Amino acid sequence: MMVIVMEPQAPMEQVSDVLRRLEDSGVVPHMSRESGRVSIGVTAVLPAPEQEVLRAMHGVAEISGVRQPFKLASREFRPDDSIVNVGGVEIGGERFVLIAGPCAVEGEQQVFDAARAAAASGARILRGGAFKPRSSPYAFQGMGLPGLRLLKAAGESVGLPIVTEVLHPEMVGPIAEYSDMLQIGARNMQNFALLEAAGRSDRPVLLKRGMMASIEELLMSAEYVLAAGNSQVVLCERGIRTFESYTRNTLDIAAVAALKQLTHLPVIVDPSHATGRRELIRPMSLVAVAAGADGLIIEAHPCPDDALCDGKQSLTPEMLAEVGNALPPVCAALGRTF
Amino acid sequence: MMVIVMEPQAPMEQVSDVLRRLEDSGVVPHMSRESGRVSIGVTAVLPAPEQEVLRAMHGVAEISGVRQPFKLASREFRPDDSIVNVGGVEIGGERFVLIAGPCAVEGEQQVFDAARAAAASGARILRGGAFKPRSSPYAFQGMGLPGLRLLKAAGESVGLPIVTEVLHPEMVGPIAEYSDMLQIGARNMQNFALLEAAGRSDRPVLLKRGMMASIEELLMSAEYVLAAGNSQVVLCERGIRTFESYTRNTLDIAAVAALKQLTHLPVIVDPSHATGRRELIRPMSLVAVAAGADGLIIEAHPCPDDALCDGKQSLTPEMLAEVGNALPPVCAALGRTF
Amino acid sequence: MMVIVMEPQAPMEQVSDVLRRLEDSGVVPHMSRESGRVSIGVTAVLPAPEQEVLRAMHGVAEISGVRQPFKLASREFRPDDSIVNVGGVEIGGERFVLIAGPCAVEGEQQVFDAARAAAASGARILRGGAFKPRSSPYAFQGMGLPGLRLLKAAGESVGLPIVTEVLHPEMVGPIAEYSDMLQIGARNMQNFALLEAAGRSDRPVLLKRGMMASIEELLMSAEYVLAAGNSQVVLCERGIRTFESYTRNTLDIAAVAALKQLTHLPVIVDPSHATGRRELIRPMSLVAVAAGADGLIIEAHPCPDDALCDGKQSLTPEMLAEVGNALPPVCAALGRTF
Amino acid sequence: MMVIVMEPQAPMEQVSDVLRRLEDSGVVPHMSRESGRVSIGVTAVLPAPEQEVLRAMHGVAEISGVRQPFKLASREFRPDDSIVNVGGVEIGGERFVLIAGPCAVEGEQQVFDAARAAAASGARILRGGAFKPRSSPYAFQGMGLPGLRLLKAAGESVGLPIVTEVLHPEMVGPIAEYSDMLQIGARNMQNFALLEAAGRSDRPVLLKRGMMASIEELLMSAEYVLAAGNSQVVLCERGIRTFESYTRNTLDIAAVAALKQLTHLPVIVDPSHATGRRELIRPMSLVAVAAGADGLIIEAHPCPDDALCDGKQSLTPEMLAEVGNALPPVCAALGRTF
């Protein structure tokens, strides 16, 4: 992969000339604008003479390679932080973002109650599962599209955009109609057809790390989405599988700090799946801020003991409010707002 | 789930009566015939009065529950070994089955050479990838359908049925047209849409264990295929992720013996992905026999050093022949033929 | 195990009566004083009549059992936080404690420079290895007692107590002569003879979690030290082994929060061994504060590139100072001082 | 490290000359005799002029280096298999060796019964724990020396040498008085003082792999024993810790084959601790043979349900006999006797 970095003041027509030249060569350009200058990435390797021509074009400052196996996701391609816009809420900027809501949409009362609790605690995006990936074919598989419509309505009732999981490539379209953000779950992190379908969507994507995926594999999966044309990707650390069984998974908090160094994409943390234990959500939420994460996604339920799934790790409205209250001072200590 | 066990000599019309009664109740019956008697599994829980009616029907010997979370896959449902037929080759019977071939189909010469080497070494099914799941969007993704047609032709040239990987639900149909068996890879073990699509196919399915999946999760994924109506499932242990990095993965050989105790489905071993090291394939092949596996799937390439993927773990034709020569005495010691 | 909880105002002579009665029964009492009341733990199960007698004694409020497998270490035995005193520095109280210093003592200049850098950055205990446990018999094994004397002198030169690792039971005495705290390393977490020897010492003990040890096993190892009579134990999370190889180990930050809930013992974090990467030490230090840890132990070297061991994970004096500067606001946000 | 390889027919006095020259230089020579020629290893790096002198001495064929981090343990130092003699029983030769006995010595009747069952099943060494390393300070810690004396007597009653675990360096001497082989357990694999003490003993050593130790770390620990002067080391794979919880640990069978390629030391398998499940011992025993292991160590108890430890993974005398009956044909298929 190569990056063509334009001069800081290069006028738009010079950028267009370069884009046209690249397209004429049959390669797909990926444009990134930051700190007032434009970079153009191409995932192909251009022949030396063609590089010479490009280097000589007006407005071109330099042409460089990207050594990391992930290209468009790397800080080599884009040094500045990316900001992803989810229905008006920015993830990756100065303001720390809390996403909250139930594991699964179970009914109107439940999801509207959950939405109110989320909003009241300072959450700015509502989460909820309508299509659930379950280990067992006999377990509750979610309410499907009717559930998604309820989630949308619940979000609107409190003014929050929503995020929900998509399981199959062919569902990207129908779900994108209702959902402000598409979640790709841990089990599907290497479902490449799904990554490509999400990459062709214009909805932002929340990509969760597989429970046994390496940091590099997560970035390579993000690269599938980016390479397909969708630059709105948020990564999510949600715990990896280890020998320790006290917690459901092991929160790999160093991965969050490492990702922030390796990629410009926003990174959030899911302490619910990472620990599987309600009593660890609050400290792990503060830990996420300290590690440099851009946000949190937390499971909360009006009545966790009745939840159809993941009740043990879901917060009550009161506990969620406590997390919301605990975040601001830690965010402030890290130079962020909440 | 409940199992309705018929009397050993129950005539077919009594079986039909029970099936009709179940279908009238709106439940889907799964039939299993073994040791001369029929069992009928239903994944729903029938109301007590309905159970009474069934228990009183002619030919019904007993009605019992299945405690394991996997139902149709369990030995509780079906105590006898299942035998899966792949284009005339039986997996799960007395005869141990070797599957061999290249990681990826790369061209006509390569795949025909590989087919000849496979057949010469005693392999009875030819493997080869036409659609490759790759961590990187920039890596070789396989030759696609033209590659699959080459694989089919190569198999026919030496009289071997073929198995190839299917990545998306919508490709199950097109691939089933050419391939005698559908492989679901480790990364897709919990791609439930794919499992269900394979479950609706009439092709046998080779289901590989995810590198992060527990034994129970593998069986639950098999259950998705079985519950969708396809009883022809072969499980494959291919190594799990651990801290040990000398080998690519860690072959969980105890899982093979455990699976043979828990399920009636055939189990095979993939020593190539499990170890990632050519020099360990031969001993791990013998290990598979000793653990009670029903077969092996091994990567072999006419010229591993030129392979487009997985060259380091691919056997040369000579090394594959050595494996073929080493298997018969160990199979014999375990009471099997090769 | 049973806990005899005394009345809040029980005079010392009533406590003495109970202790005498227990000793006469041949059991060893472990006393804990907190929030103005005394608890006495005995690891034996007393016969019912004897329990009756005790319950009737003056000043006895109640007798209860401890269900956790770790007894003296549990919050059931002692609900309040324990504070461990290391040469005048308290670990486990309101003030967060930074321990810093080189992996190994290499010479006078190096260790005095390291001590100055530690003190300048706000560290309050100096660490350094004189006896090094090395995977290879041919690697540098540490300077031994001469190195320990240098470490002691370096600590005194800047007014800091010291902590160093002890490898064998018979070295507990000689090392305790110089060192204010005894470190038991990860590889020795289940070296029970060493735990017992440290338990018979009057020096506080820093017990590191084994890289393969569960949270419960760590607490059981602490129990060995406590049961041998030494109640001054600090636990240290230093990363566990997982499949992820980007970092040297995986910092199990949820274990820190879990330990703070399960035990009254102070808990600190070693981000150096947990990550093995210099650039991750600062964020992981803040993470430790957020998780509720009572302190940090960090490797720092005057010139990491020349270090005889662990150079890649050692901070320069400048980087250590940055950590010292970053800690106060986060400590303050968590209600602690630095 | 360097290896001085002597001419095949070099007379003993030429070997002595080389040994004397090395000792005069202050380095410790390690001698290995195989296939009729002598090799002399030195772990120091000799200066070039000294190498010249040695190369010119009578009887010296060549001087070469060892690239592996483990030196004396490597096949580079000694290409031929080592054979370790345990009270007359050879481990590492053509004959496969079964070691069996109870987890812990519990009393006279139990250990004599266990010894008879072991001998009857074809075991040629008796195992039994007198000093038990237990996670909890409150668990049964073994009978100590009286237990060891019972084990010795039980072994003598059926003509079997014994192996037992040693936990501390200072116990090597007392235990070596009674035991024909010293076991160093998984938790002590990196207890370097213990390794060195065992290295100074003249008893053969059974070194178990730590449950989270890499293959290379196991070999480095063996190197500690070898470098201290004891060349009689047998390695034991006993399962590693992974996310899979169906089995107690995960038997890393590929490590057995890898070790046989990397080192000349004998390798055995402990299927009891590896699986923790009685019903998996038989298949895992056959698996060990197929992987190229030189023997097995299996827990068996006259009455497992009454065992003071590890009952769930202990075989009954009948099950042990079944293993003994199943081994010969598989050994024969691998070209070995039993």
Side-chain angles (χ1 to χ4, degrees):
Chain A
M1 160 145 180
M2 329 214 62
V3 184
I4 298 148
V5 184
M6 303 299 291
E7 300 283 357
Q9 259 65 50
M12 202 52 220
E13 62 187 19
Q14 291 180 351
V15 174
S16 299
D17 285 351
V18 173
L19 292 175
R20 206 169 314 114
R21 171 101 204 167
L22 289 169
E23 279 158 1
D24 289 351
S25 312
V27 300
V28 183
H30 297 265
M31 212 169 79
S32 163
R33 199 178 313 251
E34 52 179 330
S35 319
R37 66 155 69 187
V38 165
S39 295
I40 303 164
V42 292
T43 53
V45 176
L46 299 169
E50 180 63 20
Q51 288 188 36
E52 284 311 301
V53 172
L54 286 162
R55 195 167 278 122
M57 287 180 76
H58 291 293
V60 171
E62 62 163 327
I63 300 187
S64 64
V66 174
R67 284 153 309 150
Q68 297 280 24
F70 40 95
K71 307 296 180 191
L72 301 169
S74 75
R75 289 242 182 227
E76 285 182 275
F77 170 53
R78 182 184 162 88
D80 285 9
D81 288 347
S82 282
I83 293 181
V84 170
N85 189 304
V86 180
V89 175
E90 290 188 339
I91 307 181
E94 190 195 304
R95 196 163 167 202
F96 189 84
V97 176
L98 175 60
I99 305 172
C103 173
V105 177
E106 298 167 13
E108 185 165 352
Q109 182 74 45
Q110 174 248 17
V111 71
F112 275 76
D113 285 356
R116 265 188 300 276
S121 69
R124 294 199 291 132
I125 301 176
L126 178 65
R127 61 149 288 155
F131 299 88
K132 302 296 304 172
R134 303 302 296 272
S135 301
S136 167
Y138 311 125
F140 173 58
Q141 310 270 323
M143 288 180 66
L145 277 182
L148 179 53
R149 283 187 212 106
L150 281 180
L151 183 69
K152 182 69 184 161
E156 282 168 354
S157 76
V158 291
L160 299 189
I162 64 169
V163 56
T164 202
E165 182 164 357
V166 53
L167 298 176
H168 329 154
E170 65 267 36
M171 289 304 288
V172 166
I175 288 178
E177 246 185 79
Y178 297 95
S179 187
D180 302 281
M181 187 178 211
L182 304 171
Q183 178 181 317
I184 295 181
R187 288 179 181 80
N188 279 316
M189 194 200 83
Q190 293 194 318
N191 183 334
F192 302 116
L194 181 58
L195 294 171
E196 282 167 355
R200 287 186 300 266
S201 163
D202 59 0
R203 290 292 189 187
V205 173
L206 177 57
L207 177 60
K208 299 188 95 175
R209 182 183 182 185
M211 62 186 97
M212 242 178 192
S214 69
I215 292 173
E216 184 177 313
E217 286 168 340
L218 171 58
L219 289 167
M220 295 308 290
S221 286
E223 191 77 10
Y224 265 94
V225 182
L226 299 170
N230 188 343
S231 62
Q232 300 283 94
V233 178
V234 174
L235 305 175
C236 180
E237 159 62 28
R238 44 78 72 208
I240 56 173
R241 278 207 170 161
T242 71
F243 69 87
E244 176 59 73
S245 58
Y246 184 84
T247 43
R248 182 171 172 181
N249 292 288
T250 296
L251 177 60
D252 184 4
I253 194 65
V256 175
L259 284 167
K260 291 299 294 179
Q261 294 171 0
L262 295 168
T263 182
H264 53 86
L265 298 173
V267 180
I268 69 170
V269 169
D270 173 350
S272 308
H273 286 88
T275 66
R277 282 175 169 262
R278 205 178 288 167
E279 71 272 20
L280 294 174
I281 306 302
R282 207 183 73 100
M284 291 308 103
S285 296
L286 306 185
V287 150
V289 180
D294 299 296
L296 285 164
I297 182 164
I298 295 181
E299 288 188 348
H301 193 281
C303 186
D305 293 342
D306 299 340
L308 292 183
C309 64
D310 284 353
K312 210 177 133 203
Q313 71 195 34
S314 290
L315 296 187
T316 61
E318 295 69 34
M319 293 176 89
L320 184 61
E322 276 172 39
V323 171
N325 289 333
L327 285 170
V330 183
C331 285
L334 271 289
R336 304 189 83 140
T337 55
F338 175 66
Chain B
M1 158 145 181
M2 329 215 60
V3 185
I4 298 147
V5 184
M6 304 298 292
E7 301 283 0
Q9 259 64 52
M12 203 48 220
E13 61 188 22
Q14 291 180 350
V15 175
S16 299
D17 286 350
V18 172
L19 290 175
R20 206 171 311 114
R21 171 101 203 166
L22 289 168
E23 278 158 2
D24 289 352
S25 313
V27 301
V28 183
H30 297 265
M31 213 169 79
S32 162
R33 200 180 311 253
E34 51 180 328
S35 318
R37 67 155 68 188
V38 165
S39 295
I40 302 166
V42 293
T43 55
V45 176
L46 299 170
E50 179 63 19
Q51 287 187 37
E52 285 311 301
V53 173
L54 285 162
R55 195 168 277 122
M57 288 180 75
H58 292 293
V60 171
E62 64 164 327
I63 301 188
S64 63
V66 174
R67 285 153 309 150
Q68 296 280 23
F70 40 93
K71 307 297 181 189
L72 301 169
S74 75
R75 289 244 181 226
E76 286 182 274
F77 169 54
R78 181 183 163 89
D80 285 9
D81 289 347
S82 282
I83 293 180
V84 172
N85 188 305
V86 181
V89 174
E90 291 187 340
I91 307 182
E94 191 196 302
R95 193 162 168 202
F96 189 85
V97 176
L98 174 60
I99 305 172
C103 173
V105 176
E106 297 168 12
E108 186 165 352
Q109 180 76 45
Q110 175 248 16
V111 71
F112 275 76
D113 285 355
R116 266 188 299 276
S121 70
R124 292 197 294 133
I125 301 177
L126 178 65
R127 62 149 289 158
F131 299 88
K132 300 298 301 173
R134 303 301 297 271
S135 300
S136 166
Y138 311 126
F140 173 59
Q141 310 270 326
M143 286 180 69
L145 278 182
L148 179 52
R149 283 188 212 106
L150 281 180
L151 183 69
K152 182 69 184 161
E156 283 168 354
S157 76
V158 291
L160 300 189
I162 64 170
V163 56
T164 202
E165 182 164 356
V166 53
L167 299 176
H168 328 153
E170 64 268 36
M171 288 303 290
V172 166
I175 288 178
E177 248 184 78
Y178 297 96
S179 187
D180 302 281
M181 187 179 212
L182 303 171
Q183 179 181 316
I184 295 181
R187 288 179 182 80
N188 279 316
M189 193 202 85
Q190 293 194 317
N191 183 335
F192 302 116
L194 181 58
L195 294 172
E196 283 166 354
R200 289 187 299 268
S201 162
D202 59 358
R203 290 294 188 186
V205 174
L206 176 58
L207 177 60
K208 299 188 95 173
R209 181 182 184 186
M211 63 186 95
M212 64 195 138
S214 68
I215 291 173
E216 183 176 313
E217 287 169 339
L218 171 58
L219 288 166
M220 295 309 290
S221 286
E223 191 77 11
Y224 266 94
V225 181
L226 298 171
N230 188 342
S231 63
Q232 300 284 93
V233 178
V234 174
L235 305 175
C236 180
E237 158 63 28
R238 45 77 73 207
I240 56 173
R241 277 208 172 162
T242 71
F243 70 88
E244 176 59 74
S245 59
Y246 184 84
T247 42
R248 182 172 173 180
N249 292 287
T250 295
L251 177 60
D252 184 3
I253 194 66
V256 174
L259 284 167
K260 291 299 294 179
Q261 293 172 0
L262 294 168
T263 183
H264 53 86
L265 299 173
V267 180
I268 69 170
V269 169
D270 173 351
S272 307
H273 287 87
T275 66
R277 284 176 169 263
R278 204 178 290 167
E279 71 273 21
L280 294 174
I281 305 303
R282 207 183 74 100
M284 291 309 103
S285 296
L286 305 185
V287 151
V289 179
D294 300 296
L296 284 165
I297 181 164
I298 295 181
E299 288 187 350
H301 192 282
C303 185
D305 293 342
D306 298 340
L308 292 183
C309 63
D310 284 354
K312 210 177 134 204
Q313 71 194 35
S314 290
L315 297 187
T316 60
E318 293 71 32
M319 294 175 90
L320 184 61
E322 276 171 40
V323 171
N325 289 335
L327 285 169
V330 183
C331 286
L334 271 290
R336 303 189 83 139
T337 55
F338 175 67
Chain C
M1 161 144 180
M2 330 215 61
V3 184
I4 298 147
V5 184
M6 303 298 292
E7 300 283 358
Q9 260 63 53
M12 203 50 220
E13 61 188 22
Q14 292 181 351
V15 175
S16 298
D17 285 351
V18 173
L19 290 176
R20 206 169 313 114
R21 171 101 203 165
L22 290 168
E23 279 159 1
D24 289 352
S25 313
V27 301
V28 183
H30 297 265
M31 212 169 79
S32 162
R33 199 180 313 251
E34 51 178 331
S35 319
R37 66 155 68 189
V38 164
S39 295
I40 303 165
V42 292
T43 53
V45 176
L46 299 170
E50 179 63 18
Q51 288 188 37
E52 284 312 301
V53 172
L54 286 163
R55 194 168 278 122
M57 288 181 75
H58 291 292
V60 171
E62 64 162 327
I63 300 188
S64 62
V66 174
R67 284 153 309 151
Q68 296 280 23
F70 40 95
K71 307 296 181 189
L72 301 169
S74 76
R75 289 242 181 229
E76 286 182 274
F77 169 53
R78 181 183 163 88
D80 285 10
D81 288 347
S82 282
I83 293 181
V84 171
N85 188 304
V86 180
V89 175
E90 290 187 341
I91 307 181
E94 190 195 303
R95 194 163 167 202
F96 189 84
V97 176
L98 174 60
I99 305 173
C103 173
V105 177
E106 298 167 12
E108 186 166 350
Q109 181 74 45
Q110 174 249 15
V111 72
F112 275 76
D113 285 354
R116 265 187 300 276
S121 70
R124 294 198 291 131
I125 301 177
L126 178 65
R127 63 148 288 157
F131 299 88
K132 301 297 303 172
R134 303 301 297 272
S135 300
S136 166
Y138 311 125
F140 172 59
Q141 309 270 325
M143 286 181 68
L145 278 183
L148 179 52
R149 283 187 211 109
L150 281 180
L151 182 70
K152 182 69 183 162
E156 283 168 352
S157 75
V158 292
L160 300 188
I162 63 169
V163 56
T164 202
E165 181 164 358
V166 53
L167 298 176
H168 329 153
E170 64 267 35
M171 288 304 288
V172 166
I175 288 178
E177 247 185 79
Y178 296 96
S179 187
D180 301 282
M181 186 178 212
L182 303 172
Q183 178 181 316
I184 295 181
R187 289 180 181 81
N188 278 315
M189 194 201 83
Q190 293 193 318
N191 183 336
F192 302 116
L194 181 58
L195 294 172
E196 283 167 355
R200 288 187 300 266
S201 162
D202 59 358
R203 290 292 189 188
V205 173
L206 175 58
L207 178 60
K208 300 188 94 174
R209 182 182 183 185
M211 64 186 94
M212 66 195 134
S214 69
I215 292 173
E216 184 177 313
E217 287 168 339
L218 171 59
L219 288 167
M220 296 308 291
S221 286
E223 192 77 10
Y224 266 95
V225 182
L226 298 170
N230 188 342
S231 62
Q232 301 283 93
V233 177
V234 174
L235 305 176
C236 179
E237 159 62 28
R238 44 77 73 208
I240 55 174
R241 278 209 171 160
T242 70
F243 70 88
E244 176 60 73
S245 60
Y246 183 84
T247 43
R248 182 171 171 182
N249 292 287
T250 295
L251 177 60
D252 184 2
I253 194 65
V256 174
L259 284 167
K260 291 300 294 179
Q261 294 172 0
L262 295 168
T263 183
H264 53 87
L265 298 173
V267 180
I268 69 171
V269 169
D270 173 351
S272 308
H273 286 87
T275 65
R277 283 177 168 260
R278 206 178 289 168
E279 70 273 20
L280 294 174
I281 305 302
R282 207 183 73 99
M284 291 309 103
S285 296
L286 306 185
V287 150
V289 180
D294 300 296
L296 284 164
I297 182 164
I298 295 181
E299 288 188 349
H301 193 282
C303 186
D305 293 343
D306 299 341
L308 292 184
C309 62
D310 284 353
K312 211 177 133 203
Q313 71 194 35
S314 290
L315 296 187
T316 61
E318 294 70 33
M319 295 175 89
L320 183 61
E322 276 171 40
V323 172
N325 289 334
L327 285 170
V330 183
C331 285
L334 271 289
R336 304 189 81 140
T337 55
F338 175 67
Chain D
M1 159 143 182
M2 331 213 59
V3 184
I4 298 148
V5 184
M6 303 298 292
E7 301 283 358
Q9 258 65 51
M12 202 51 219
E13 62 187 19
Q14 291 181 350
V15 175
S16 300
D17 286 349
V18 172
L19 291 175
R20 206 170 312 116
R21 172 100 204 166
L22 290 168
E23 279 158 2
D24 289 351
S25 313
V27 301
V28 183
H30 296 265
M31 214 169 78
S32 163
R33 199 180 312 252
E34 51 180 329
S35 318
R37 65 155 71 186
V38 165
S39 295
I40 303 166
V42 292
T43 54
V45 176
L46 299 169
E50 179 64 20
Q51 289 188 35
E52 285 311 302
V53 173
L54 286 162
R55 195 167 278 122
M57 288 181 74
H58 291 295
V60 171
E62 64 164 324
I63 300 188
S64 64
V66 174
R67 283 152 310 149
Q68 298 280 23
F70 39 95
K71 307 296 180 189
L72 301 170
S74 75
R75 288 241 182 230
E76 286 182 274
F77 169 54
R78 181 182 162 88
D80 284 9
D81 289 346
S82 282
I83 293 180
V84 171
N85 189 306
V86 181
V89 174
E90 290 187 340
I91 307 182
E94 189 195 304
R95 195 163 167 202
F96 189 84
V97 176
L98 175 60
I99 305 173
C103 173
V105 177
E106 298 167 12
E108 186 165 351
Q109 181 77 44
Q110 174 247 16
V111 71
F112 275 76
D113 284 356
R116 266 188 299 276
S121 70
R124 293 198 292 132
I125 301 177
L126 178 66
R127 63 148 287 156
F131 299 88
K132 300 297 304 172
R134 303 302 296 271
S135 300
S136 166
Y138 311 126
F140 173 59
Q141 309 270 326
M143 287 180 67
L145 278 182
L148 180 52
R149 282 186 212 107
L150 282 181
L151 184 69
K152 182 69 184 161
E156 282 168 354
S157 76
V158 291
L160 299 189
I162 64 170
V163 56
T164 202
E165 182 165 355
V166 54
L167 299 176
H168 327 155
E170 64 268 36
M171 289 302 290
V172 166
I175 288 178
E177 248 184 76
Y178 297 96
S179 187
D180 301 282
M181 187 179 211
L182 304 171
Q183 179 181 316
I184 294 181
R187 289 179 181 82
N188 280 315
M189 193 202 84
Q190 293 193 319
N191 182 335
F192 302 116
L194 181 57
L195 294 172
E196 282 167 356
R200 288 187 299 267
S201 162
D202 58 359
R203 290 292 189 188
V205 173
L206 176 58
L207 178 60
K208 298 187 96 173
R209 182 182 182 185
M211 63 186 96
M212 243 178 192
S214 68
I215 292 173
E216 184 177 313
E217 287 169 340
L218 171 58
L219 288 167
M220 295 308 290
S221 286
E223 191 77 11
Y224 265 95
V225 182
L226 299 171
N230 188 341
S231 61
Q232 300 283 93
V233 177
V234 174
L235 305 175
C236 180
E237 158 63 29
R238 45 77 73 209
I240 56 173
R241 278 207 169 160
T242 71
F243 69 88
E244 176 59 75
S245 59
Y246 183 84
T247 42
R248 181 172 173 180
N249 293 287
T250 295
L251 177 61
D252 184 3
I253 194 66
V256 174
L259 284 167
K260 291 298 295 178
Q261 292 171 1
L262 295 167
T263 183
H264 54 87
L265 299 172
V267 180
I268 69 170
V269 169
D270 173 350
S272 307
H273 286 88
T275 66
R277 284 177 168 261
R278 205 179 289 168
E279 72 272 21
L280 294 174
I281 306 301
R282 207 184 73 100
M284 291 309 104
S285 297
L286 305 185
V287 151
V289 180
D294 300 296
L296 286 164
I297 180 164
I298 295 180
E299 288 188 349
H301 192 282
C303 186
D305 293 342
D306 298 340
L308 292 183
C309 63
D310 285 353
K312 210 177 135 205
Q313 71 195 34
S314 289
L315 296 187
T316 60
E318 294 70 33
M319 293 175 89
L320 184 62
E322 276 171 40
V323 172
N325 289 334
L327 285 169
V330 183
C331 286
L334 272 289
R336 302 188 84 139
T337 55
F338 175 67

